[in-house]
Amino acid sequence: MKRALCPVCSGSIDEQFLQLQQLQDESSPNFVSEVVNIYFHESEKLLRNLREDCLVVVDKEFSDYKKMGIHLNQFMGSSSSIGAQRVRNVCVAFRAASEQNNRAGCLRALELLEYEYCYLKNKLHELFQIEQQRILAAGVRYPQQPNNP
Amino acid sequence: MSSNHKHSGSNGNVCSSYNQKQAKESLHGRASVWKWRKTLVLLWLVVVLFVFIWVLNDGKLGRNVETPLISQYNTQDVLENCNVSMEKIASFACCSGSGYGMPPSSNIICGLKMLGSENQIFHRQCELVTGERCPSIEGANANYPGLPSSDEMSASFIPNTTSSSISSLHSFCKEQNKLQMRELRSHATDHCNKGIYIRFAEICFWILIGMAISYNLCRLYDKRRSQKHKMIHQQPLLQQPQLQQQAQSSSRSTGKWRKKLLVVFVVGGDQFNVSMNHVHALAILVSTFHHGKQPSAIDQKTFEDYTERTAFERPLTSGVAYALRVRHSEREHIEKQYGWTIKKMDIDDQTLAQECNPENFSTSPVQDEYAPVIFSQKTVSHIVSIDMMSGKEDRENILRARASGKGVLTSPFKLLKSNHLGVVLTFAVYNTNLPPDAMPDERINATVGYLGASYDVPSLVEKLLHQLASKQTIIVNVYDTTSEVSPIKMFKQKPPPPLQAISAFVGVLVITLLLGHIFHAAIKQIAKVEHDYREMMELKHRAEAADVAKSQFLATVSHEIRTPMNGVLGNFRLTLNFLQVVMEVGCMLEMLMDTNLDACQLDYAQTAHDSGKDLISLINKVLDQAKIESGRLELEAVPFDPRAVLDKVLSIFSGKSHEKGIEFTHDKGHIFVSVHLADEVKSPLDVKDEVLRQSLNVVEDDLNASFNTLSGFRVVNRWKSWENFKNLGGTAEDSGNKIKLLVTVEDTGTGIPPEAQGRIFTPFMQADSSTSRKYGGTGIGLSISKRLVDLMGGEIGFESELNTGSTFSFTVPVTKAEANTSDKMWQPCDTAVSVLFQGLRALVIDGKRIRAEVTRYHLQRLGISVDITSSMESACSYLSYNGKTSVLESEQFAMVLIDQEDWDKDTCFPFHNLIKMMRRDTFRVKSGLKIFVLATCVTSTDRNKLKLDDLVDDLITKPLKLSALISTLQEATGKRLETSNKPSTLRTLLKGKQILVVDDNMVNRRVAEGALKKYGAVVTCVEGGKYAVELLKPPHKFDACFMDLRMPEMDGIEATRQIRSLEKTYNERIRSGETSFGMNGTLSDWHTPILAMTADVMQATNEACVKSGMDDYVSKPFGEGQLYSAVARFFEMG
C-alpha cells in the first residue's frame, strides 16, 4: 500500500520519495532517514564545491565549467534518487547555464539552488518528525494486530 | 416672399395723415377721369390680361422678387407709392361697396379688379395723356407742367421725402406720382422689362389679399360693434381711410391672410368734384366781392341768399360758411364790428351738445390768430362767430388750405349741432390774385379768410339713395380674381363664418386635445415607468436573493467540504495506518503482497480513497461551475469506459445511498442509471434492449401493488424525458466514428413540482428551499450538468411527476476510442476475472424482470451466461430439469442468484433441498452450485445468520458493483487471482544474490542498496569504477552488477569494458585449462550481468552501454517492475 504523501512537502518531493519509503522495512528501519542524511551530507559538500566553482569562474574569468558540470551531475543524481524534484529542476537549469558559460545565470541558479535545498531540508525535517509520531502511533497498535494476517 | 412682407409692412407704416390726403386726391382725380374713361376700360382689359399672366407665373415669380431690378431706394419709394395708391383705391372701393348711392348725373362703374394694377395703369395712363393734359388729381393744382427729366425728379424727390411739413404734402404726393411715372416710363413701360410688372403685381396682390382680409375682418368687427360703428360703416367716401386703418391694424394684429371675394365699386365722383369746384368759385367770389370791394358787397344776408340759391351747385354739401382771418390785434375791432365775441369750439361739449347754441360756447381764449365765421349758409348758421381755429380738424384744415392754396379736406369728424359725421372742405381766400407757383409763405400772408363747406355723410347717403331710387343706369363690371372653389357672392353676402372664432375654438380644441394627449401620455409613461421600476425591483430582489444564495452556498459548501474532508482524511489515514501495520506484519512474514488482506478491507480502503478524491472533485466542481459560468471550461477528449465510470460512481455513492437506504428497498425507492446508444431509442417499436423494453410497459403487479421497476415503485415514463431532444439519433455524417450515448437516471421519490420544473437548471435554484433542508444538496449539480452537456454538444431533459419521481436523460456525442486504448482503460482485473468466470452459467431468480436484467448485465460482464426465472418455484423446476438434462459442465449452473424479495422461508427450504440434492448429484461440478442472495442492506448479523443457516453461500449487496461481485464470487467459488506474483518472483529471484552496486554518489548507492536489499539481495557497494573492476575480476562472488554510468575517474562504460576484457581473458584461461576452478566451476563462460543505472534513458547512451558490454539498463530512480523485468532475464535463466 502506498504511504500517504506528506502534504508538507508535496511541492518539493515527488513519488520517488514514496518509493524510497517503501524500501524501508524491518531490516533497515531507518533507511529513509539514513538516505536523507547522506543526501544532506553529500549535498552540502556539493553545494560548497559549486560555490567555489562559481567563485573561481567569477574571479579567474576563464571557465572551469567542466568541474561544475560534474558536481551538478552528482547533485542531480542524488536529488532525483530521493525525489527532490525541485532541486533537480534547478540543477538542470544550472547545468544549462554552465554549459552556455553564463556566469550570471550560474550565480542566480546557485542562489536558487541553495534556497531550494534549504526549503527541502526544512520540509524533510518536518516530515521526519511526523513520521516519527506516526510510527509511535503505529507502534501502539502493533501488538494488537499480530494475528491478523 | 420676404420682401413682400416687408413691403406690406411698410404699407402699414405709411403715415395715415397723408393716406387720407391721397385718398382724397385720388377721389379728386376721379372727377377728371371721366373724360378718358373709355381708355381706362381698355386698360382694365390689359390689367386683366396682366393678372392672367401673373397667375401663370405665380410660383416662379415669387422667388424673383428678392432681386429687384431697380435700386433699393427707388423700389421702396415706388412701392410705398403704390401702397398709398392701393389704399386709396381700396378705401374707395370700400366706400363704394357700402355706399350704393351715386349722383344722378353720373353712371356707376363697378369693377372687380386688381387694385395695384389699376393703380399702376392709372399712372401709366397719366403718363400717356400727360403730353396734352395731366390727369389732375388735385383739380387746378394737379396740373403737371410737363414731365421733368428723371434726374431732376429724383433730385427734387429726395428732399421731399424727408420733409414732413404739412405744406409740402401735396407736392410730395405730386412728386411721388411723378416719380412713379418716371419709373413707369423708364421701367414699367418698357415691355422688355417685365420684372417690374411682375413685382408690382405680386406685391400688389399680397396687399390686395391683406386688404380683402381687412375688409372681412372689418365687417366681422363691425358686427360686434355698436350702432355708431355701423353708421360709420355706411358712410361712404371720406371716412374710409380711417376704417381702412382700423381694418389694417386689425389685419396686422390678426396677421392672417385670407383670400376673399373682392368687389370693388368704382363710383364716379363727378358730383363731389362739381360741388368742390363751386366751393372754390365761392371762395373767389368772396375774395372779389367781400374783400375786393370797399365797402363789402357781401354781408350775411347776401351770402345766405346766394348760397341758398346756388345750393344745387354743391349737391353733396350740407352747408358753406366763410370765416375771416383775424389776428389778435384785430380781434376787438372785429368783435365790435359784428357785435359778437369770438367763441371757441368746445371739444368736450361738442359731442354732447345736441342743441348747438352759439350762446353755449365759451369765449375764445387769447390766441395769435382767429378764424371766426362771419357768413354762413342758413343750414349752418349756428356756427357764426365760432372760431374755426379752435377746432382741431378745422384748424389743421385751414392751415393746410392757406398754405397750399387748394381745397383741403378734413378727416371725418362729428359736425356741430347735427352731430353727424362729416368732412369739411376748406379753401383759403386771398386778397390778391396769386400766381400758381406762389410760395406757401406768400399764400399765408395773402390769406384773408377761409371758405368752408361741410359734407354731411348721412345726408350724402340720403342723396345717393335718392339718386338710386331714380331711374339711373348702373353698369357693374365684375371681375373675379379669387379662386374658383369659393363662389362669388355679391351684394348680399352671407356673413362669412366666424372664422376667427372657429379657428380660435379649433385652436383651443386642438390645444386641449394636445394637452390631454400629453397628460395621457405622461400618465401612461409614469405608469409604465412605475411598472418597470417594480419589475426591476423584483428582478433586483431576485438577483440579490440569488447572490445571497450563492454566497450562502459557498459558505455552506466550504464548510461542508472541510468538515467531512477532515474526517475522511483522518479516517483514511487511520485506515491506511492500520493497513500499513497489516502490511508490515505481512512483511515480517515475508509475504508482503501475498498477505491475504480481506477483500472488503481493501475495498473499503479503496472507497475511502475514492471518497477523498470525490470530495476534492466536489471542490473542483464548484470551481468548475465558476469556470463554466465565466465560459472558461475547456473540454478534453479522454478515452473512458462507461462501465468503469459507472462502477466508480457507484462505489463512491454506495455508502451514501446505503445510508439513505434508497437502493432497492421496498419502501424507499431506487436510483437507476442506464446508458444506451441514442440510436436504440429512435423508435420505441423495435427496441432490442430489455431494460428499455421493460420500461416501455410498466405493468402493475396486482398482488402486491408494485411495479416492474427496481424497487417496485412507480416511476415516470423515461421515454418522455428525451421526447424533446432535437437530434436524438445521430445524423448520417457523424454516424461513422461518433456515437451518441443516452444516459438516463431514474429515481423514485418526491419528484419535482411542475411549477419548479422550469428553473431547476438555474444555478442555486432548488425546487423548494425546504428541499435542501430535507434532503441536502446545493442546487448546483443540475446546472453544472446542463452546462457540461451543452458544452459537449448534447441535450438534457427530464420528466418528473410529483410524488412519483423523476427521470433525467441526456445525450452526449462521443467518439469511439481506439480498441487498444479502450483496453487499457479496462480495469486490469477485468480481463483476468472474465477468464476466471468465463463460461459459467448462472440462474437469476427475480420477480422483477427489469431488476433481473440488471443483474444479468452485471454477470454478463464477468463472462457468465445468465438465465432468468421469475419465481422460486419455476427456478426449482428449471434447475432440476437442467440438472437432469445437461451433462456437460458448461451447461450446468454454477450459481444461483436470488433476490432478497423472493427469498422467503416458505420457498427456500424446498429450494434448498433441491440444491442439496443437486449438489450430491452433480459432484462432477468442481465448485458445486453456489447460492447467493442479492440484498440491499443487510446487517452483519443478518449476514452471519444466513451464512450459519448454510442455506446460502454468501450475500451480495446491491447495488451490484463489479469489484464487490468479483470478490464475493471469488470467495465463494474459491477461485483466486494470482495478482501479486510479480513482486514475489522478484523476491525469490533476488533472494540471497550477491549484487555489486557501483556508484559514486553515496545517496544513489544507498538507495540502490536499500531497494535491492528489500528483495533479499546481498548488496556490496563501491564508489568507483576502479573498485568495481577490482571486485569483478573473476573469479568473484557477485551474481550481478549495477553500474552507474557517470562516475569520476572511471565511468561505467570504461569499467564495464575492462571487466569484460578481464572476463574474456579469464574465460580463455578456463578454456585452455589453466584455471579450472572457480565459484561456478560448471560455468563454462564467465559473464557477470552488468546493468547500467542511468538517469537519462537516451538511445545513444543505451547503445553505448550495449557496445561496452553491458547487458541492460535501468533508469535510476528504479521501480519494482523495472527492476524485476531487468533482473528476471538473468536470474530466471540461471
Side-chain angles (χ1 to χ4, degrees):
Chain A
M1 218 59 216
K2 272 185 184 178
R3 284 165 203 234
L5 185 61
C6 179
V8 283
C9 37
S10 52
S12 44
I13 293 179
D14 62 4
E15 294 84 17
Q16 181 59 32
F17 190 75
L18 290 176
Q19 291 202 353
L20 213 62
Q21 281 183 323
Q22 281 178 12
L23 294 178
Q24 179 172 309
D25 53 20
E26 74 288 346
S27 60
S28 52
N30 295 320
F31 176 71
V32 175
S33 59
E34 191 191 331
V35 170
V36 169
N37 280 331
I38 295 165
Y39 171 73
F40 285 158
H41 187 252
E42 287 283 305
S43 297
E44 262 151 41
K45 209 166 71 191
L46 282 167
L47 272 173
R48 224 169 22 243
N49 289 340
L50 281 168
R51 219 171 290 139
E52 274 168 22
D53 291 341
C54 278
L55 285 172
V56 164
V57 166
V58 171
D59 288 345
K60 295 192 177 172
E61 290 285 331
F62 76 91
S63 59
D64 196 7
Y65 290 111
K66 209 171 179 184
K67 210 170 158 191
M68 200 190 275
I70 292 163
H71 288 141
L72 276 171
N73 267 331
Q74 288 194 349
F75 205 172
M76 231 157 69
S78 56
S79 296
S80 58
S81 282
I82 69 152
Q85 190 68 30
R86 270 156 66 171
V87 173
R88 191 183 164 271
N89 289 341
V90 176
C91 283
V92 170
F94 201 161
R95 194 172 62 180
S98 75
E99 275 165 5
Q100 289 167 8
N101 295 359
N102 181 356
R103 239 168 39 214
C106 284
L107 286 171
R108 211 160 43 232
L110 180 67
E111 210 174 304
L112 195 60
L113 190 63
E114 279 173 346
Y115 168 77
E116 282 295 342
Y117 173 72
C118 282
Y119 181 78
L120 176 74
K121 201 174 170 182
N122 289 335
K123 288 291 163 195
L124 285 175
H125 274 302
E126 272 180 56
L127 182 69
F128 282 131
Q129 282 177 354
I130 292 166
E131 285 281 300
Q132 264 173 345
Q133 285 172 6
R134 196 173 61 95
I135 286 161
L136 279 175
V140 170
R141 285 173 187 229
Y142 211 75
Q144 294 175 359
Q145 304 289 338
N147 297 336
N148 205 330
Chain B
M1 286 295 169
S2 62
S3 68
N4 260 343
H5 288 273
K6 193 170 129 202
H7 295 322
S8 53
S10 70
N11 173 18
N13 290 338
V14 173
C15 175
S16 63
S17 65
Y18 74 77
N19 276 356
Q20 290 161 17
K21 299 293 170 307
Q22 298 237 340
K24 191 185 71 186
E25 279 159 20
S26 77
L27 287 172
H28 285 201
R30 278 280 154 215
S32 54
V33 154
W34 65 275
K35 287 168 187 170
W36 33 267
R37 195 184 296 147
K38 280 181 182 174
T39 326
L40 196 66
V41 169
L42 192 72
L43 283 167
W44 281 346
L45 290 172
V46 176
V47 166
V48 172
L49 191 71
F50 174 75
V51 168
F52 179 66
I53 291 162
W54 176 79
V55 166
L56 279 180
N57 296 321
D58 184 33
K60 195 167 61 189
L61 298 172
R63 287 185 290 271
N64 292 337
V65 174
E66 285 183 338
T67 55
L69 294 169
I70 54 171
S71 74
Q72 184 65 32
Y73 181 79
N74 281 345
T75 311
Q76 197 153 350
D77 283 318
V78 169
L79 288 172
E80 265 178 30
N81 230 336
C82 176
N83 292 339
V84 169
S85 310
M86 289 291 297
E87 279 163 34
K88 286 186 293 195
I89 291 161
S91 63
F92 187 40
C94 289
C95 77
S96 307
S98 49
Y100 307 112
M102 291 299 265
S105 61
S106 64
N107 296 332
I108 299 167
I109 301 158
C110 298
L112 177 77
K113 56 196 304 184
M114 199 177 154
L115 295 175
S117 309
E118 196 227 21
N119 183 38
Q120 186 186 341
I121 282 148
F122 175 71
H123 288 292
R124 205 177 147 205
Q125 195 180 17
C126 289
E127 189 210 9
L128 288 172
V129 296
T130 205
E132 45 183 87
R133 195 206 306 209
C134 183
S136 169
I137 294 171
E138 302 297 331
N141 292 316
N143 290 326
Y144 291 102
L147 282 167
S149 72
S150 325
D151 299 335
E152 250 178 60
M153 285 307 295
S154 57
S156 63
F157 174 67
I158 294 161
N160 276 339
T161 48
T162 52
S163 155
S164 59
S165 72
I166 295 164
S167 59
S168 68
L169 277 169
H170 284 282
S171 59
F172 175 48
C173 292
K174 195 174 77 184
E175 297 291 4
Q176 280 181 330
N177 279 331
K178 282 175 185 170
L179 181 77
Q180 200 169 3
M181 278 186 279
R182 176 182 61 84
E183 291 296 338
L184 288 166
R185 189 186 58 198
S186 58
H187 298 285
T189 55
D190 184 1
H191 290 290
C192 302
N193 196 351
K194 290 200 172 165
I196 283 285
Y197 283 96
I198 288 155
R199 280 188 68 247
F200 263 87
E202 194 152 342
I203 291 155
C204 293
F205 177 74
W206 284 112
I207 292 158
L208 181 75
I209 288 168
M211 272 185 267
I213 292 156
S214 309
Y215 175 66
N216 285 306
L217 279 175
C218 131
R219 289 190 64 169
L220 275 170
Y221 178 72
D222 282 352
K223 265 181 207 162
R224 291 192 297 268
R225 284 290 174 133
S226 65
Q227 180 66 32
K228 180 184 80 182
H229 280 88
K230 263 185 188 167
M231 190 190 72
I232 290 165
H233 184 71
Q234 283 170 353
Q235 299 298 332
L237 227 55
L238 298 172
Q239 80 179 102
Q240 290 308 317
Q242 201 175 15
L243 288 172
Q244 176 69 30
Q245 274 182 323
Q246 269 179 12
Q248 274 203 342
S249 66
S250 73
S251 84
R252 272 199 298 274
S253 66
T254 52
K256 287 178 182 173
W257 295 80
R258 278 181 288 165
K259 268 189 178 177
K260 277 301 286 181
L261 173 77
L262 186 72
V263 182
V264 178
F265 295 93
V266 180
V267 180
D270 326 59
Q271 291 175 350
F272 185 82
N273 287 332
V274 164
S275 49
M276 201 172 72
N277 283 347
H278 191 260
V279 173
H280 198 183
L282 209 63
I284 294 160
L285 187 99
V286 171
S287 170
T288 313
F289 294 102
H290 182 63
H291 296 289
K293 299 282 183 198
Q294 201 64 273
S296 170
I298 299 172
D299 58 355
Q300 169 62 28
K301 185 153 173 34
T302 325
F303 190 81
E304 212 178 283
D305 285 348
Y306 180 74
T307 51
E308 191 81 50
R309 284 162 68 184
T310 58
F312 67 90
E313 290 265 41
R314 310 178 297 274
L316 298 175
T317 55
S318 57
V320 287
Y322 177 67
L324 196 66
R325 184 188 184 188
V326 180
R327 288 177 180 81
H328 187 61
S329 54
E330 301 164 346
R331 180 177 172 173
E332 268 181 61
H333 172 72
I334 295 296
E335 277 180 358
K336 226 176 262 175
Q337 187 185 339
Y338 290 99
W340 37 251
T341 53
I342 298 168
K343 296 184 181 68
K344 139 176 118 80
M345 255 190 270
D346 202 334
I347 296 152
D348 297 332
D349 292 345
Q350 195 178 357
T351 50
L352 299 170
Q354 288 297 318
E355 284 301 312
C356 195
N357 205 344
E359 281 75 41
N360 291 347
F361 292 107
S362 55
T363 313
S364 173
V366 175
Q367 274 177 331
D368 284 347
E369 216 176 295
Y370 307 95
V373 176
I374 49 171
F375 309 130
S376 70
Q377 206 178 343
K378 205 177 178 181
T379 51
V380 290
S381 58
H382 57 275
I383 61 166
V384 171
S385 85
I386 292 171
D387 181 12
M388 284 294 140
M389 295 287 264
S390 61
K392 189 170 159 273
E393 286 88 357
D394 290 315
R395 183 184 164 83
E396 273 176 22
N397 223 22
I398 285 163
L399 292 175
R400 267 159 52 202
R402 73 183 184 191
S404 63
K406 295 170 189 168
V408 176
L409 276 171
T410 62
S411 56
F413 65 98
K414 294 227 171 75
L415 296 175
L416 287 175
K417 191 177 178 184
S418 66
N419 223 14
H420 287 162
L421 204 64
V423 288
V424 173
L425 175 69
T426 309
F427 279 97
V429 177
Y430 303 108
N431 53 1
T432 50
N433 193 12
L434 287 168
D437 56 345
M439 296 301 287
D441 284 348
E442 284 176 61
R443 288 179 189 275
I444 289 166
N445 285 333
T447 310
V448 287
Y450 321 98
L451 193 80
S454 67
Y455 291 81
D456 192 1
V457 177
S459 59
L460 210 64
V461 171
E462 227 165 78
K463 276 170 188 162
L464 280 168
L465 283 170
H466 180 72
Q467 203 173 0
L468 271 176
S470 62
K471 286 165 187 166
Q472 296 288 332
T473 311
I474 301 168
I475 299 164
V476 182
N477 292 327
V478 180
Y479 300 93
D480 185 4
T481 60
T482 58
S483 66
E484 286 176 6
V485 275
S486 54
I488 301 163
K489 284 175 187 158
M490 289 221 291
F491 299 115
K492 295 220 171 174
Q493 284 181 12
K494 278 187 182 172
L499 285 173
Q500 205 176 12
I502 287 170
S503 58
F505 173 73
V506 167
V508 168
L509 197 73
V510 165
I511 289 166
T512 314
L513 280 171
L514 280 172
L515 280 174
H517 180 75
I518 288 164
F519 273 114
H520 179 65
I523 286 163
K524 258 170 79 177
Q525 186 70 26
I526 288 165
K528 191 169 167 275
V529 165
E530 272 175 355
H531 181 254
D532 286 356
Y533 174 72
R534 272 198 296 277
E535 229 169 33
M536 295 296 257
M537 284 306 283
E538 200 190 324
L539 284 173
K540 191 180 157 236
H541 283 140
R542 271 161 65 181
E544 279 171 355
D547 196 41
V548 167
K550 198 170 189 169
S551 39
Q552 270 180 357
F553 162 75
L554 284 175
T556 317
V557 159
S558 52
H559 182 257
E560 278 182 19
I561 287 168
R562 237 180 286 138
T563 321
M565 194 67 178
N566 289 335
V568 164
L569 285 179
N571 284 328
F572 188 38
R573 195 176 291 166
L574 279 176
T575 316
L576 284 174
N577 283 340
F578 164 70
L579 286 170
Q580 193 194 354
V581 168
V582 171
M583 274 186 348
E584 275 164 10
V585 171
C587 283
M588 214 153 51
L589 299 167
E590 297 190 16
M591 289 170 68
L592 174 63
M593 292 312 278
D594 282 335
T595 314
N596 196 6
L597 268 181
D598 195 343
C600 275
Q601 282 180 355
L602 268 173
D603 196 38
Y604 287 150
Q606 197 61 44
T607 307
H609 185 243
D610 287 349
S611 301
K613 272 187 179 170
D614 181 47
L615 219 45
I616 295 295
S617 80
L618 175 63
I619 298 164
N620 290 339
K621 222 194 275 177
V622 174
L623 294 173
D624 279 349
Q625 170 74 23
K627 238 179 172 182
I628 295 167
E629 271 186 359
S630 54
R632 266 179 297 194
L633 189 81
E634 282 157 16
L635 290 177
E636 191 188 351
V638 169
F640 71 101
D641 177 26
R643 295 184 188 92
V645 170
L646 277 179
D647 278 340
K648 223 182 260 176
V649 169
L650 208 58
S651 67
I652 289 166
F653 287 102
S654 61
K656 205 175 168 187
S657 58
H658 270 299
E659 229 168 75
K660 283 191 173 180
I662 53 172
E663 299 283 342
F664 292 105
T665 51
H666 202 273
D667 47 20
K668 288 288 175 64
H670 68 273
I671 294 172
F672 181 27
V673 182
S674 61
V675 183
H676 307 277
L677 288 177
D679 296 332
E680 279 184 272
V681 296
K682 260 182 185 168
S683 56
L685 291 174
D686 49 6
V687 182
K688 291 186 191 88
D689 189 72
E690 195 64 34
V691 172
L692 282 172
R693 205 184 308 157
Q694 289 297 322
S695 65
L696 253 182
N697 41 2
V698 179
V699 192
E700 193 174 346
D701 191 350
D702 295 331
L703 288 172
N704 41 12
S706 68
F707 294 83
N708 183 19
T709 62
L710 292 189
S711 61
F713 272 93
R714 206 160 75 83
V715 291
V716 294
N717 187 2
R718 62 167 62 198
W719 288 82
K720 275 187 184 169
S721 64
W722 57 75
E723 234 170 22
N724 294 329
F725 287 3
K726 284 183 191 89
N727 43 359
L728 189 57
T731 46
E733 64 262 19
D734 53 30
S735 59
N737 201 26
K738 281 207 163 188
I739 50 165
K740 202 169 250 186
L741 287 181
L742 174 75
V743 183
T744 55
V745 183
E746 173 193 275
D747 73 351
T748 60
T750 51
I752 302 158
E755 65 270 14
Q757 286 185 3
R759 57 164 204 265
I760 59 160
F761 289 121
T762 319
F764 311 113
M765 288 278 188
Q766 283 195 327
D768 184 6
S769 55
S770 63
T771 333
S772 63
R773 221 177 301 129
K774 251 191 267 174
Y775 306 109
T778 49
I780 198 174
L782 279 173
S783 74
I784 292 179
S785 309
K786 179 161 171 57
R787 280 162 188 274
L788 285 176
V789 168
D790 287 346
L791 213 60
M792 288 188 278
E795 285 167 291
I796 190 163
F798 68 98
E799 172 67 23
S800 187
E801 257 176 63
L802 208 58
N803 298 323
T804 300
S806 22
T807 300
F808 284 80
S809 300
F810 67 90
T811 57
V812 186
V814 289
T815 316
K816 275 184 196 162
E818 298 294 314
N820 51 355
T821 50
S822 75
D823 278 347
K824 256 184 211 169
M825 290 306 296
W826 279 60
Q827 287 175 347
C829 63
D830 212 6
T831 43
V833 165
S834 63
V835 175
L836 207 64
F837 297 106
Q838 197 74 51
L840 294 182
R841 286 188 76 185
L843 181 67
V844 174
I845 305 166
D846 200 330
K848 302 267 184 296
R849 187 66 202 269
I850 197 160
R851 206 158 54 189
E853 285 296 333
V854 174
T855 315
R856 181 177 30 200
Y857 162 77
H858 280 287
L859 290 172
Q860 271 174 348
R861 279 178 71 187
L862 293 171
I864 302 167
S865 57
V866 177
D867 288 342
I868 294 171
T869 54
S870 58
S871 68
M872 295 289 270
E873 286 81 12
S874 61
C876 284
S877 56
Y878 198 83
L879 276 174
S880 56
Y881 175 74
N882 174 264
K884 279 167 194 162
T885 51
S886 62
V887 273
L888 289 171
E889 194 188 328
S890 60
E891 281 179 1
Q892 290 191 344
F893 288 107
M895 58 193 84
V896 178
L897 292 102
I898 308 161
D899 194 82
Q900 198 182 17
E901 266 180 49
D902 297 293
W903 180 262
D904 47 35
K905 295 285 176 198
D906 300 334
T907 52
C908 73
F909 283 110
F911 180 73
H912 195 252
N913 287 333
L914 177 75
I915 298 288
K916 266 185 184 168
M917 211 170 67
M918 278 183 72
R919 274 186 185 161
R920 225 175 295 128
D921 292 345
T922 60
F923 51 89
R924 288 165 298 182
V925 180
K926 258 191 278 174
S927 51
L929 191 63
K930 302 285 180 187
I931 300 172
F932 300 97
V933 168
L934 296 165
T936 306
C937 54
V938 212
T939 56
S940 52
T941 52
D942 280 345
R943 181 189 287 257
N944 288 337
K945 208 173 140 196
L946 274 170
K947 273 190 178 177
L948 283 172
D949 284 347
D950 203 23
L951 292 174
V952 296
D953 292 285
D954 208 345
L955 278 161
I956 300 173
T957 49
K958 285 193 274 187
L960 292 177
K961 232 188 322 178
L962 198 65
S963 52
L965 197 63
I966 289 164
S967 66
T968 314
L969 291 180
Q970 272 181 351
E971 235 168 77
T973 54
K975 289 192 177 181
R976 195 165 290 282
L977 276 173
E978 300 291 316
T979 45
S980 51
N981 50 356
K982 277 182 188 175
S984 67
T985 319
L986 186 62
R987 183 164 273 275
T988 47
L989 277 176
L990 286 176
K991 202 183 173 198
K993 299 277 193 230
Q994 290 281 346
I995 291 171
L996 180 70
V997 173
V998 188
D999 201 329
D1000 66 312
N1001 193 321
M1002 204 197 275
V1003 179
N1004 291 355
R1005 215 156 56 212
R1006 188 71 190 86
V1007 170
E1009 189 192 342
L1012 291 170
K1013 260 188 185 169
K1014 197 185 169 192
Y1015 302 109
V1018 180
V1019 184
T1020 312
C1021 292
V1022 290
E1023 52 183 86
K1026 267 192 219 161
Y1027 304 105
V1029 173
E1030 270 176 36
L1031 281 173
L1032 286 175
K1033 192 176 175 183
H1036 57 79
K1037 55 171 181 174
F1038 296 107
D1039 297 305
C1041 174
F1042 285 83
M1043 180 93 71
D1044 188 24
L1045 285 180
R1046 288 195 185 188
M1047 284 181 290
E1049 292 176 44
M1050 186 187 285
D1051 66 2
I1053 290 166
E1054 178 59 32
T1056 311
R1057 206 173 286 135
Q1058 290 190 11
I1059 290 163
R1060 289 289 176 238
S1061 66
L1062 282 175
E1063 280 175 347
K1064 202 177 173 185
T1065 51
Y1066 186 75
N1067 284 344
E1068 277 169 9
R1069 275 167 60 191
I1070 289 172
R1071 226 166 278 149
S1072 61
E1074 267 179 56
T1075 45
S1076 57
F1077 57 94
M1079 275 286 289
N1080 295 349
T1082 52
L1083 217 70
S1084 58
D1085 202 6
W1086 196 282
H1087 182 93
T1088 315
I1090 298 174
L1091 292 104
M1093 292 191 296
T1094 170
D1096 44 350
V1097 194
M1098 282 158 70
Q1099 201 58 36
T1101 337
N1102 193 14
E1103 278 169 13
C1105 292
V1106 174
K1107 216 185 257 175
S1108 67
M1110 283 181 177
D1111 295 280
D1112 208 345
Y1113 67 90
V1114 286
S1115 59
K1116 207 179 259 174
F1118 41 79
E1120 199 176 89
Q1122 198 193 11
L1123 197 61
Y1124 170 77
S1125 62
V1127 171
R1129 260 179 67 188
F1130 311 105
F1131 295 133
E1132 272 179 346
M1133 290 189 297

